[in-house]
Amino acid sequence: MANAKFVKSVNSIIEIPKGDFPELVFCGRSNVGKSSFINSILQMKNLAKVGATPGKTKFLNYFLVNEKFFIVDLPGLGYAKVSKQEREKWKKLISEYFTRTDKIQLAIHIIDSRHEPTDVDVELSKLLFKNNIPFIIVLNKIDKLSQSEFHQKRNMIKEFYSNTVENENLFFFSAVNNRGRKEIVNFLKNYFEI
Ligand SMILES: Nc1nc2c(ncn2[C@@H]2O[C@H](COP(=O)(O)OP(=O)(O)OP(=O)(O)O)[C@@H](O)[C@H]2O)c(=O)[nH]1
Ligand SMILES: [Mg+2]
């Protein structure tokens, strides 16, 4: 099990913690399962706060893992129920954060496996590309799919993101039964002491 601790919640770029640690950032649509994913990867139940309702993570949350690297839990993009002003603020914060590319070693873009990627997902992929941030795509909540739905969705996503290769930059995952966890952790070990 990793040794991880919460460091700081940040809601403006100047508050980002000092320290020369590489960053592993988790991003995706609001309520997609970013915080659950972090807890599962680190095998720590309540490290990142999980919400039954969208908009649970409101800031950039920094966790220090094994005294070696930061995990950054981002607020979800595109949450419809907060005010437009608040949504724009989150978007600005996230865009600004991504321009600080010197620290971000890898981003994990989490997408709900049940649906075709949304406009928000496409926007996020573009933002990562534009800022030259290396990222992998994780399709999560696969416990919600039957075996045949899983095959169907897997083909759909491989077509949608045609330059991806499974278990290299495209992974499938469930935080409920931890399916796919091992493959992702093995991959992350190439980058981080996890
Ligand atoms: N079935 C299933 N539910 C999941 C999975 N991952 C997360 N959830 C559920 O999805 C909901 C949202 O999870 P969070 O981890 O809070 O999602 P988030 O992306 O951090 O949400 P925000 O911080 O609000 O953007 C919770 O009810 C989780 O229990 C999964 O792999 N399978
Ligand atoms: Mg969250």
Side-chain angles (χ1 to χ4, degrees):
M1 193 171 89
N3 159 17
K5 62 179 185 220
F6 172 73
V7 177
K8 197 175 182 185
S9 276
V10 166
N11 77 355
S12 87
I13 233 66
I14 52 167
E15 294 171 19
I16 284 177
K18 307 271 180 294
D20 213 10
F21 298 113
E23 293 178 14
L24 169 62
V25 49
F26 291 74
C27 51
R29 224 163 31 78
S30 179
N31 210 39
V32 73
K34 298 173 291 297
S35 301
S36 307
F37 186 64
I38 291 171
N39 291 337
S40 164
I41 290 295
L42 298 177
Q43 292 184 291
M44 293 179 77
K45 259 199 171 125
N46 300 312
L47 185 72
K49 289 204 180 67
V50 170
T53 50
K56 185 73 186 171
T57 307
K58 296 200 166 61
F59 307 104
L60 307 182
N61 286 322
Y62 274 77
F63 303 90
L64 183 61
V65 185
N66 296 335
E67 303 286 332
K68 294 280 190 204
F69 66 96
F70 281 134
I71 273 184
V72 187
D73 186 13
L74 293 191
L77 278 169
Y79 176 42
K81 283 190 184 152
V82 294
S83 67
K84 186 161 183 250
Q85 204 181 1
E86 188 146 354
R87 219 163 45 228
E88 289 302 315
K89 198 181 131 202
W90 286 356
K91 197 170 153 185
K92 182 164 171 280
L93 178 63
I94 291 169
S95 307
E96 281 178 2
Y97 169 71
F98 282 142
T99 57
R100 256 181 83 259
T101 48
D102 56 329
K103 295 276 172 58
I104 306 172
Q105 190 119 349
L106 182 74
I108 301 187
H109 180 187
I110 304 170
I111 297 175
D112 191 328
S113 64
R114 292 171 296 175
H115 315 293
E116 197 162 286
T118 63
D119 291 348
V120 171
D121 290 317
V122 173
E123 192 184 345
L124 182 56
S125 299
K126 282 187 182 156
L127 195 60
L128 292 164
F129 261 123
K130 198 178 84 183
N131 289 297
N132 285 319
I133 297 173
F135 70 99
I136 61 171
I137 292 175
V138 171
L139 278 294
N140 77 342
K141 305 197 182 182
I142 57 170
D143 55 284
K144 297 259 192 186
L145 301 175
S146 69
Q147 196 62 13
S148 64
E149 282 171 333
F150 175 72
H151 288 299
Q152 188 200 338
K153 301 289 181 189
R154 179 156 71 176
N155 291 339
M156 179 270 288
I157 201 76
K158 284 182 174 172
E159 224 167 89
F160 195 94
Y161 284 109
S162 55
N163 55 353
T164 54
V165 179
E166 193 170 341
N167 292 335
E168 285 185 18
N169 55 4
L170 177 75
F171 295 85
F172 295 88
F173 175 74
S174 162
V176 167
N177 58 23
N178 280 330
R179 207 170 136 200
R181 181 184 179 277
K182 202 174 68 198
E183 288 78 2
I184 297 168
V185 170
N186 281 343
F187 173 81
L188 291 178
K189 282 183 175 157
N190 298 325
Y191 288 80
F192 302 96
E193 284 186 46
I194 195 163

